[in-house]
């Protein structure tokens, strides 16, 4: 669910939250994460050499699995979905490259093999920030100079403003942005800030799309992800995501060593499929 029209989803910007609401939401998240203070901005890292790759697959397939794009958010009530840390497993080190981004094969159960088009770019731009918190670029949020963006789509037509965004929003399968920092602690800082700024979208007026509770995945002490499912407005009758209902795609904030990233899944995947895709992206990061 891309966080704004330019970020690959065409979701309508709804409004900015008040400072009070943001503080309350951050405090609520603190109950689940043990952190109550929004991590302060840190120094940016110099970018690796820019690159742009493209791999083209076949014709569109499984269009019914695509969801209307949206924003990104965690929930105060967090449900653990992690596995025991593998012996000797450690997070990523060194520069971030396109080899660390999610591959189309992660969606083969839903779309088949070779049916997803991939486009990459390096730089700044709108990422998966939620429409309800206001459109920003990754550089505006974190101060970084650039990151790797990847679009996974069911067709080759892309937006003239961003090649990682499908020209037809229903053709967006997923979109990922990821970068490296000088240290794992800074990557943790960045991932926490990205997660915290999306909290307001977990509570919306009934009838408006909303994000569900946070699910945490941990493959190693410094290899973690938090993902939230997307629920369309018709399922939001109380101002929050409904319990016991399956999501339709969602958003994940990822961290592996000194790498961090955000993955939006526009394809209408349920809980089990989202968990599988997030784990795959995390292991690749």
């Amino acid at each position: 669910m891309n966080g704004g029209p330019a970020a690959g989803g065409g979701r309508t910007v709804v409004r900015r939250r008040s400072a009070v609401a943001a503080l309350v939401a951050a405090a609520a998240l603190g109950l689940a994460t043990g952190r109550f203070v929004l991590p302060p901005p840190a120094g940016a890292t110099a970018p690796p050499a820019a690159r742009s790759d493209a791999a083209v697959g076949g014709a569109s397939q499984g269009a019914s699995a695509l969801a209307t794009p949206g924003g990104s958010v965690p929930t105060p009530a967090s449900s653990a979905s992690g596995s025991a840390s593998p012996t000797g497993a450690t997070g990523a080190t060194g520069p971030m490259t396109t080899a660390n981004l999610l591959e189309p094969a992660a969606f083969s159960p839903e779309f088949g093999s070779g049916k997803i088009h991939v486009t990459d770019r390096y730089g700044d731009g709108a990422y998966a920030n939620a429409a309800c918190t206001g459109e920003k670029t990754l550089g505006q949020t974190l101060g970084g100079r650039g990151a790797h963006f990847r679009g996974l789509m069911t067709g080759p037509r892309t937006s003239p403003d961003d090649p990682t965004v499908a020209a037809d929003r229903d053709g967006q399968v997923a979109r990922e942005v990821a970068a490296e920092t000088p240290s794992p602690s800074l990557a943790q800082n960045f991932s926490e800030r990205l997660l915290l700024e999306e909290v307001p979208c977990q509570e919306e007026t009934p009838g408006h799309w909303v994000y569900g509770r946070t699910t945490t995945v941990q493959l190693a002490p410094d290899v973690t992800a938090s993902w939230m499912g997307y629920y369309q407005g018709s399922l939001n009758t109380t101002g929050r995501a409904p319990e016991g209902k399956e999501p339709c795609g969602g958003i994940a904030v990822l961290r592996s060593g000194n790498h961090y990233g955000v993955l939006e899944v526009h394809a209408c995947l349920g809980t089990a499929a989202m968990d599988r895709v997030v784990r795959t992206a995390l292991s690749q990061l």
Side-chain angles (χ1 to χ4, degrees), residues 130-283:
C132 64
T133 61
E135 185 73 13
K136 290 185 292 184
T137 69
L138 195 66
Q140 289 171 329
T141 300
L142 301 177
R145 296 182 181 179
H148 290 273
F149 288 75
R150 168 165 290 180
L152 299 97
M153 298 158 278
T154 57
R157 294 181 61 246
T158 63
S159 166
D161 299 322
D162 188 335
T164 65
V165 176
D168 176 4
R169 68 180 186 178
D170 290 334
Q172 195 86 37
V173 175
R175 189 166 180 264
E176 184 176 12
V177 55
E180 82 276 4
T181 67
S183 67
S185 62
L186 186 57
Q188 180 178 5
N189 176 289
F190 280 7
S191 62
E192 287 174 350
R193 291 174 62 201
L194 289 168
L195 200 61
L196 282 172
E197 78 163 3
E198 309 302 345
V199 169
C201 299
Q202 290 179 322
E203 293 188 30
E204 281 293 343
T205 303
H208 187 280
W209 67 266
V210 70
Y211 279 84
R213 68 173 57 245
T214 304
T215 297
T216 300
V217 174
Q218 183 168 17
L219 302 186
D222 62 346
V223 183
T224 64
S226 295
W227 70 267
M228 295 72 66
Y230 166 78
Y231 294 83
Q232 60 187 8
S234 62
L235 295 177
N236 173 16
T237 60
T238 64
R240 299 185 64 89
E243 294 292 340
K245 297 289 186 179
E246 284 293 293
C248 187
I251 179 101
V253 177
L254 316 167
R255 180 176 71 88
S256 176
N258 71 323
H259 293 179
Y260 71 95
V262 179
L263 171 67
E264 281 191 299
V265 177
H266 294 255
C268 195
L269 304 188
T271 301
M274 276 294 297
D275 191 73
R276 183 197 77 230
V277 169
V278 170
R279 287 173 181 273
T280 300
L282 183 58
S283 64

